[in-house]
Amino acid sequence: MNPSPSIRPIAVKWGTILGVLSILNVIYTYFVVGVPQVGEFNIAGTVIGVLVFALAIVCYVMAVKDFRKINDGGSSFGEGFKVIMLTIIVGSIISLIFSYLMDAVIMPDYNEEMYAMTMGTMESSPGMTDSMLEIMDNMYSFIFSATGKLIVGAFGTLIGGAVFASIVALIMQRDPDLTPSVDEIGTV
């Protein structure tokens, strides 16, 4: 049995593309569309978010296709999952570093404003007790910090990424023995 080819160059290529797409999404959202305030809905930001999500799926599919090219036309579920997860990890590292810089250096006041608006909304909500507000205050003070967003983003990306990696890898798995090569297709 031949050893599996290296997935690292493929994951770095598609993960970098994924990371850059995420950065462009953040830049576009913050500086062009504008981040909606609490209670507002921003259709342009939603459309861009859905588009970036779709492009992420395309990156996962292309990473598996690139892997197939160097793996005799096939990929198992496990190989596809590994390629996609490493792609997600590379993209996440790039995106999370940029997001942390945005939150800690470039726009540190934004998180404080969002925290204050969120807590203001909670305080004015009927039925909120002081103990509930204290719990929410502790939770949101962490979530809206640059470090909190980094940690929550990393875990969320890994968990969500594992789900989508499983789905895409399952759909993209292909036995190389049952898949005709490019040379064989033209000779029938």
Side-chain angles (χ1 to χ4, degrees):
M1 181 170 183
N2 293 335
S4 186
S6 175
I7 62 173
R8 188 176 301 129
I10 294 166
V12 167
K13 171 187 170 184
W14 290 105
T16 301
I17 292 169
L18 189 60
V20 169
L21 285 172
S22 297
I23 289 171
L24 292 175
N25 179 39
V26 170
I27 290 171
Y28 185 78
T29 301
Y30 275 74
F31 298 112
V32 178
V33 174
V35 179
Q37 302 301 316
V38 174
E40 287 182 5
F41 179 72
N42 187 329
I43 190 70
T46 302
V47 169
I48 294 300
V50 169
L51 179 63
V52 168
F53 175 76
L55 290 173
I57 299 294
V58 168
C59 285
Y60 306 158
V61 169
M62 295 306 296
V64 174
K65 283 187 170 191
D66 279 359
F67 177 75
R68 282 185 189 164
K69 288 178 188 174
I70 62 169
N71 194 40
D72 298 326
S75 66
S76 67
F77 171 80
E79 291 169 329
F81 184 81
K82 284 190 266 185
V83 169
I84 296 167
M85 281 307 294
L86 192 55
T87 299
I88 289 169
I89 290 168
V90 170
S92 295
I93 289 170
I94 294 167
S95 176
L96 289 170
I97 288 171
F98 180 78
S99 293
Y100 184 81
L101 290 173
M102 283 287 292
D103 293 336
V105 178
I106 300 170
M107 295 180 67
D109 296 339
Y110 173 76
N111 286 330
E112 292 171 15
E113 292 170 16
M114 290 302 291
Y115 167 73
M117 281 193 299
T118 302
M119 288 309 297
T121 302
M122 294 289 176
E123 289 168 358
S124 64
S125 297
M128 284 296 253
T129 65
D130 288 341
S131 63
M132 292 168 76
L133 285 172
E134 185 179 341
I135 292 168
M136 299 302 273
D137 181 51
N138 290 334
M139 182 175 71
Y140 283 127
S141 65
F142 173 73
I143 289 174
F144 282 112
S145 71
T147 304
K149 286 176 76 176
L150 181 72
I151 292 169
V152 170
F155 280 112
T157 300
L158 289 177
I159 292 168
V163 170
F164 287 104
S166 297
I167 294 167
V168 174
L170 185 63
I171 292 169
M172 297 289 297
Q173 68 182 341
R174 179 174 293 159
D175 186 350
D177 296 331
L178 300 177
T179 306
S181 69
V182 177
D183 297 332
E184 294 171 336
I185 293 172
T187 59
V188 175

